Amino acid sequence: MRLTTKGRYAVTAMLDLAIHGQQKPVSLNDISGRQGISLSYLEQLFAKLRRNELVCSVRGPGGGYRLARHEQDISVAQVVDAVNESMDATRCLGKGDCQDGDQCLTHHLWQDLSRQIHAFLNDISLNDLVNRQDILDVAKRQDERVQQQDNSTEALIQMTSA
Amino acid sequence: MRLTTKGRYAVTAMLDLAIHGQQKPVSLNDISGRQGISLSYLEQLFAKLRRNELVCSVRGPGGGYRLARHEQDISVAQVVDAVNESMDATRCLGKGDCQDGDQCLTHHLWQDLSRQIHAFLNDISLNDLVNRQDILDVAKRQDERVQQQDNSTEALIQMTSA
DNA sequence: GATAATTCCGACTATTATAGTCAAGTATTT
DNA sequence: AAATACTTGACTATAATAGTCGGAATTATC
């Protein structure tokens, strides 16, 4: 069972896309700035998201990524799956050969847990998340912070060129 | 979020104990044989289980481990916790400082998932598992296999000494 | 048509956790 | 006393995550 930064980053980035990508494509640079994820790592993740047809890309200046489907048609489970983090809690990935060809004593338990987790995450769409107040609050704070950084960068540039 | 072989081994071993430890203590050697877990590794795990007062040990010949409490009072969640596999799906372990001091965009989502998983595993006791038919079936097959191995070992010894 | 913004791609690296192994020692029962 | 079993600590190998780096391809805009 793996649910680590990789899967969390992927969902975070997709959510950022859902929130900021209504008008125009969103560049990975912007996502990196807002979510604190390294650009190079985002590139890796989005390669997988694109291969899984969850996002589509627009190259060139003003380009970036946009969701390939409607927000309500993309579930958290799909995103986590796309970056190869299996939500299977069994050792054998459900095959039942966990103990040299046979089932281990707790195989059924982990199978139940896997189903539970998958059902939970499959039932949550990006649209659900976008509409949650607690998440909107976090997004708002992030935008304000980025705004401040831009301002101070601008001031710095003016100082330097003066 | 970590749920790997370590936690699975711990639960498997505890379940083995619940099944075979009704009469006398069970040695780690027996558990190793039945469950295919290395003895040394079991020693590590049981050191933690003992510190968490889930098992108690009996030394000397005929010794081994037994459950420290009734089967119905030990939950799967407690066992997984005992070997240091946190079932927390957040990056910040629930503290909410996942993105340099602030909450990351998906913090609440992972928090919900963590609660979900913990509730699920906390609600399952060793006693519940022992009474499941599918698990009893696996246990029975294991016992038969070990029996066969013992027989062939015995035969081998007789051949060698002859 | 040059430039700059952007995605795309592959190879490389560091860190960390798991999943062990090994050896020596301590306690307890027969 | 000897065998059995637990206890402890140090060590190691493997694999995955979480990146980094350099460059190439694409396209909008000046």
Side-chain angles (χ1 to χ4, degrees):
Chain A
M1 167 91 189
R2 302 200 304 264
L3 197 100
T4 64
T5 307
K6 191 193 250 182
R8 284 193 294 256
Y9 277 177
V11 175
T12 301
M14 288 293 281
L15 189 51
D16 186 279
L17 213 55
I19 293 175
H20 296 93
Q22 303 293 358
Q23 317 299 331
K24 52 178 178 48
V26 180
S27 76
L28 293 189
N29 210 8
D30 288 356
I31 298 181
S32 171
R34 276 191 295 264
Q35 307 304 333
I37 308 172
S38 98
L39 177 59
S40 310
Y41 201 40
L42 278 175
E43 285 174 354
Q44 273 186 45
L45 298 179
F46 272 78
K48 293 185 176 182
L49 293 172
R50 198 170 59 90
R51 277 198 287 277
N52 280 270
E53 298 183 343
L54 294 174
V55 298
C56 45
S57 65
V58 181
R59 293 182 143 203
Y65 288 92
R66 52 172 78 244
L67 297 180
R69 296 180 231 151
H70 288 143
E71 295 168 9
Q72 58 267 30
D73 296 331
I74 300 180
S75 74
V76 174
Q78 287 170 338
V79 176
V80 176
D81 272 336
V83 293
N84 295 345
E85 293 220 297
S86 91
M87 274 161 308
D88 198 306
T90 62
R91 175 181 214 178
C92 53
L93 299 176
K95 292 197 295 276
D97 57 351
C98 4
Q99 191 183 343
D100 27 72
D102 215 339
Q103 284 175 6
C104 75
L105 197 54
T106 45
H107 178 79
H108 295 94
L109 170 64
W110 309 123
Q111 209 168 34
D112 288 353
L113 175 62
S114 305
R115 268 196 280 268
Q116 190 82 194
I117 294 175
H118 205 274
F120 179 76
L121 292 182
N122 205 41
D123 204 47
I124 300 177
S125 72
L126 288 185
N127 191 48
D128 293 336
L129 293 178
V130 167
N131 288 322
R132 280 177 60 160
Q133 191 55 47
D134 49 11
I135 288 182
L136 286 177
D137 290 343
V138 176
K140 199 176 164 201
R141 273 203 300 271
Q142 289 180 341
D143 287 349
E144 287 166 2
R145 187 163 45 179
V146 168
Q147 199 61 42
Q148 283 175 5
Q149 283 171 358
D150 286 354
N151 287 346
S152 56
T153 306
E154 216 170 289
L156 191 67
I157 291 174
Q158 289 190 347
M159 279 175 61
T160 314
S161 63
Chain B
M1 168 90 189
R2 304 199 304 262
L3 197 98
T4 64
T5 307
K6 191 193 254 181
R8 285 193 293 257
Y9 277 177
V11 176
T12 301
M14 287 294 279
L15 188 51
D16 186 280
L17 213 55
I19 293 175
H20 296 94
Q22 304 292 0
Q23 318 299 331
K24 53 177 176 50
V26 180
S27 76
L28 293 189
N29 214 4
D30 287 355
I31 298 181
S32 171
R34 275 190 296 264
Q35 307 305 334
I37 308 173
S38 98
L39 178 59
S40 308
Y41 202 40
L42 278 175
E43 286 172 353
Q44 271 186 46
L45 298 179
F46 272 78
K48 292 183 177 182
L49 293 173
R50 199 175 60 90
R51 278 198 288 274
N52 281 268
E53 297 182 345
L54 293 174
V55 298
C56 45
S57 65
V58 181
R59 296 182 140 199
Y65 287 93
R66 51 171 79 243
L67 298 179
R69 296 180 231 150
H70 286 143
E71 294 170 9
Q72 57 267 29
D73 296 331
I74 299 180
S75 74
V76 174
Q78 287 170 338
V79 176
V80 176
D81 272 337
V83 293
N84 295 345
E85 293 220 297
S86 91
M87 274 160 308
D88 198 306
T90 62
R91 174 183 216 178
C92 53
L93 298 176
K95 292 197 294 278
D97 56 351
C98 4
Q99 191 182 344
D100 26 72
D102 215 340
Q103 283 176 6
C104 75
L105 198 54
T106 44
H107 178 79
H108 295 94
L109 170 64
W110 308 123
Q111 208 167 34
D112 288 353
L113 176 62
S114 305
R115 267 195 282 266
Q116 189 82 193
I117 294 174
H118 205 273
F120 180 76
L121 292 183
N122 205 40
D123 203 46
I124 300 176
S125 72
L126 289 184
N127 191 49
D128 293 336
L129 294 177
V130 166
N131 287 323
R132 281 177 57 161
Q133 191 55 48
D134 49 12
I135 288 182
L136 286 177
D137 289 343
V138 176
K140 198 176 164 199
R141 272 202 302 272
Q142 288 180 342
D143 286 348
E144 286 165 3
R145 186 162 47 179
V146 169
Q147 199 60 43
Q148 283 175 6
Q149 283 171 359
D150 286 352
N151 286 346
S152 56
T153 305
E154 215 170 291
L156 191 67
I157 291 173
Q158 288 189 350
M159 279 175 63
T160 315
S161 63

